[in-house]
Amino acid sequence: MADYVDLDGVRTWYGERGEGEPLVLMHGGFSDSRDFAGNLGTLADRFRVLTPERRGHGHTPDHDGPITHDLMAQDMIAFIEKVAGGPAHLAGYSDGATVAMLVALRRPDLVRRLVLVSGAYDLSGYLFAPQPGGEFPEQVVAAYAEVSPDGREHFPVVVAKMLDPDSAPLGLDEEALRGIGALTLVMSGDDDLVRLEHTLSIYRAVPSSELAIVPGTSHVLLHEEPALVTELVADFLTTDPAPTILPIRRGQPSP
């Protein structure tokens, strides 16, 4: 099913499938919930999968004012409270992972387990990023136009808002990430748009984290290796961590 929910004045579209513990999937920037078609969306056979589309993305219309990570995090906190009805597993992809980090830091009581796929806590984590005034691939623009209630001509407005310096993540660095208490899976393609060194810095900063580098994939790993990515995420969400035989990072310090 699909529906709209009012989040403090932002009319937000979301999809819902399955039953069980809620799993909120957060799409990438300039994209929508179709990021999860054929991959994490198939976890509806085990979870109540919720796929909100953030302000100015997908079926959710743009809203007066800026589109900042701070506002998107507030929206997602309100969504989890209002639609999920309480603590949920949270999986964010690309820019959605950045928003997910903010949610986990601001409202740890609402996050059960956290999955960060090809995410970055700072723009320096990307090998390259869209620039104001630059052109986007026609595939991206056409996908936006296909479902946006604002129409194709509004896409440059959303781009300008998203690329405004004020939309950058607020206060996110390695020190801040140490405050994430949820068990976290950090995932990336081995040839990702996000620097591998940056992905490693997230893994090392988040205290209770696991790392998955998917071989032979890029920033679009959700669609390049959908079965493998989904299996890794499903195992992470449904299995308690087992002690390793030779723990190093997870080893307890000597008394």
Side-chain angles (χ1 to χ4, degrees):
M1 63 162 281
D3 202 353
Y4 283 89
V5 61
D6 182 271
L7 303 178
D8 299 324
V10 180
R11 187 169 182 263
T12 300
W13 183 97
Y14 69 96
E16 178 175 351
R17 294 175 55 216
E19 298 179 353
E21 295 180 347
L23 169 60
V24 179
L25 304 181
M26 298 174 58
H27 60 78
F30 310 110
S31 186
D32 56 62
S33 61
R34 288 174 291 181
D35 281 345
F36 302 110
N39 48 73
L40 300 189
T42 64
L43 292 175
D45 64 346
R46 311 183 207 190
F47 298 93
R48 178 188 172 206
V49 173
L50 300 166
T51 52
E53 294 181 337
R54 299 188 300 280
R55 57 175 69 198
H57 290 74
H59 300 78
T60 299
D62 192 11
H63 191 70
D64 289 341
I67 302 177
T68 67
H69 287 90
D70 178 66
L71 288 171
M72 290 190 287
Q74 290 180 35
D75 292 344
M76 291 301 97
I77 288 170
F79 179 84
I80 296 169
E81 290 181 322
K82 198 165 188 177
V83 180
H89 300 298
L90 192 58
Y93 164 63
S94 193
D95 199 51
T98 304
V99 178
M101 294 179 208
L102 288 168
V103 173
L105 285 166
R106 295 177 183 180
R107 288 297 304 275
D109 59 305
L110 293 179
V111 182
R112 297 186 182 193
R113 294 192 182 186
L114 180 65
V115 179
L116 305 173
V117 181
S118 295
Y121 58 80
D122 185 85
L123 287 178
S124 65
Y126 292 96
L127 289 167
F128 56 87
Q131 299 298 318
E135 291 194 10
F136 274 70
E138 171 58 24
Q139 182 179 0
V140 174
V141 182
Y144 170 88
E146 186 176 346
V147 296
S148 173
D150 296 319
R152 182 187 182 99
E153 64 279 0
H154 194 75
F155 184 71
V157 177
V158 172
V159 170
K161 289 184 177 185
M162 291 284 290
L163 298 184
D164 188 290
D166 290 336
S167 71
L170 302 178
L172 280 182
D173 54 25
E174 291 180 45
E175 183 61 33
L177 294 184
R178 292 188 179 95
I180 294 179
L183 185 62
T184 301
L185 175 63
V186 180
M187 181 182 290
S188 173
D190 64 353
D191 190 23
D192 207 291
L193 179 62
V194 177
R195 302 175 190 273
L196 283 175
E197 295 82 358
H198 190 84
T199 298
L200 282 171
S201 72
I202 298 173
Y203 164 65
R204 288 168 176 156
V206 177
S208 298
S209 61
E210 299 179 4
L211 177 67
I213 303 297
V214 182
T217 62
S218 69
H219 195 62
V220 198
L221 68 165
L222 289 174
H223 298 289
E224 293 165 335
E225 289 287 353
L228 176 56
V229 169
T230 303
E231 180 183 357
L232 289 168
V233 172
D235 183 69
F236 170 77
L237 293 177
T238 59
T239 306
D240 290 332
T244 53
I245 295 174
L246 184 62
I248 304 297
R249 179 176 181 266
R250 297 182 181 89
Q252 295 296 318
S254 300

